[in-house]
Amino acid sequence: MHKISKSKQLSENEYDFWINAPLIASKAKPGQFVILRINEIGERIPLTIADADDSSGNIRLVFQVIGKTTAELGKLTTGDTILDLTGPLGMPTEIKKYGTVMIAGGGVGIAAILPIVKGLKNAGNRVITILGAKTAELVILQKECREYSDELIIATDDGTLGMKGLVTAAMEHVINKETVHCCWAIGPSMMMKFCTLTATKHEVPIFVSLNPIMIDGTGMCGGCRVTIDGSIKFACVDGPEFKGTEVNWDEFISRMKQYKTEEETCLAGYQK
Ligand code: NAD
Ligand code: FES
């Protein structure tokens, strides 16, 4: 059992939990994730580790309510427990000195870029961070991202904070003013696809983090299969990070929609 040490609601549908999991906290690296199960009959869901504090033994998970399990999770609060957490899972981000790096997070995907921003800053890179969201109140973790960034650009779809536009417009702005040696994009699938097109147009290497449905998280069930450079890979063990240019985006985006109806029915039944 893992106790929620601290919980905070970040926006209408987004929550920020610190959960006690000392073994995971001592090993977690940027880019890795956990698979969580709230109770014995619960669904297993993957969540990126947004931060880890070895001294207190806590890990930070930031999530958006999108289905029944995340709705159940959002009802928990400080002092409640979660049955099991498996992790850290997945291949970590390659943290090294690239030069100037640009890291774009979209919506709740901002939580997933935080450890990468931190890691790349600590490795001596010039870090340019882009936070994109629909509106000002959805721009999460601004303070933490700013602390580890040489430059922080905010883009909102409605222009209520920072520049008006999508993260891709902010990427163009950065690439047009200085040389970027490598970039990362994490957020909705469409965002990651278009960030890949933008980076590729300017010949900047790009990594994305894929979040398909996962079950075991150990490469055995095949639920998380994705096509990378024409070969089948399992996001849980081969990823979740891949070169954006090698992802079969049409297949990934279509597989992400596969259980949409069932998810909506399940959530509606739970909310009745
Ligand atoms: P959202 O739909 O509000 O989009 C956030 C931002 O992404 C937008 O403000 C925009 O700047 C950018 N964006 C969206 N579509 C774009 C497009 N077509 N072209 C360019 N930019 C675009 O995000 P949300 O509602 O917070 O959803 C977050 C999504 O991120 C969820 O679907 C979740 O599954 C995913 N996510 C992925 C990971 C991962 O590891 N890949 C981690 C956390 C969340
Ligand atoms: Fe089962 Fe990846 S989640 S193979």
Side-chain angles (χ1 to χ4, degrees):
M1 293 289 245
H2 299 274
K3 197 170 183 173
I4 301 170
S5 315
K6 200 158 87 177
S7 64
K8 188 176 160 194
Q9 187 162 1
L10 296 177
S11 68
E12 194 189 345
N13 282 318
E14 290 168 334
Y15 295 84
D16 181 1
F17 283 3
W18 281 93
I19 304 174
N20 196 252
L23 288 176
I24 302 177
S26 68
K27 297 254 185 297
K29 294 201 173 70
Q32 292 189 301
F33 65 93
V34 291
I35 288 192
L36 166 160
R37 198 168 57 133
I38 299 177
N39 52 45
E40 267 184 22
I41 53 159
E43 172 193 25
R44 292 161 63 81
I45 56 161
L47 289 173
T48 305
I49 303 168
D51 208 347
D53 178 15
D54 194 15
S55 59
S56 65
N58 289 321
I59 59 165
R60 187 178 198 178
L61 301 179
V62 175
F63 61 94
Q64 184 182 40
V65 171
I66 40 169
K68 175 176 178 266
T69 302
T70 43
E72 283 180 299
L73 198 58
K75 293 238 159 45
L76 301 181
T77 188
T78 309
D80 289 339
T81 53
I82 285 166
L83 180 65
D84 53 51
L85 281 176
T86 310
L89 297 169
M91 300 290 285
T93 304
E94 192 176 353
I95 300 291
K96 63 177 187 185
K97 186 151 180 190
Y98 294 86
T100 297
V101 295
M102 176 170 65
I103 310 155
V108 73
I110 292 172
I113 67 164
L114 176 60
I116 301 176
V117 167
K118 247 184 175 178
L120 290 172
K121 179 66 192 163
N122 290 336
N125 293 284
R126 167 167 161 73
V127 175
I128 303 172
T129 304
I130 299 171
L131 308 183
K134 289 191 186 80
T135 191
E137 69 135 351
L138 299 177
V139 183
I140 58 171
L141 310 182
Q142 256 187 82
K143 191 171 132 282
E144 291 91 330
C145 288
R146 195 178 295 281
E147 191 181 335
Y148 295 96
S149 303
D150 294 282
E151 191 178 337
L152 184 99
I153 300 173
I154 294 174
T156 49
D157 300 8
D158 63 2
T160 45
L161 188 67
M163 61 181 275
K164 185 175 190 303
L166 303 175
V167 294
T168 39
M171 283 177 72
E172 290 273 3
H173 165 77
V174 172
I175 298 172
N176 284 331
K177 79 177 171 68
E178 65 183 289
T179 303
V180 174
H181 298 100
C182 195
C183 67
W184 281 256
I186 307 183
S189 319
M190 276 300 179
M191 172 196 130
M192 295 191 285
K193 175 183 173 174
F194 282 95
C195 288
T196 297
L197 294 175
T198 304
T200 308
K201 186 173 91 183
H202 296 278
E203 298 179 352
V204 181
I206 179 164
F207 291 95
V208 296
S209 178
L210 302 184
N211 59 332
I213 287 174
M214 291 191 187
I215 303 159
D216 63 303
T218 60
M220 291 195 286
C221 73
C224 67
R225 82 178 158 79
V226 288
T227 303
I228 306 295
D229 199 19
S231 303
I232 298 231
K233 298 280 177 199
F234 297 132
C236 65
V237 288
D238 300 314
E241 223 171 79
F242 296 101
K243 287 180 182 163
T245 47
E246 295 187 348
V247 176
N248 180 331
W249 288 108
D250 291 342
E251 180 193 74
F252 179 68
I253 290 166
S254 134
R255 276 177 59 78
M256 288 297 279
K257 293 183 196 145
Q258 211 172 358
Y259 295 106
K260 206 166 185 293
T261 312
E262 287 83 352
E263 282 169 0
E264 284 167 2
T265 308
C266 195
L267 178 62
Y270 172 72
Q271 286 172 331
K272 247 187 209 164

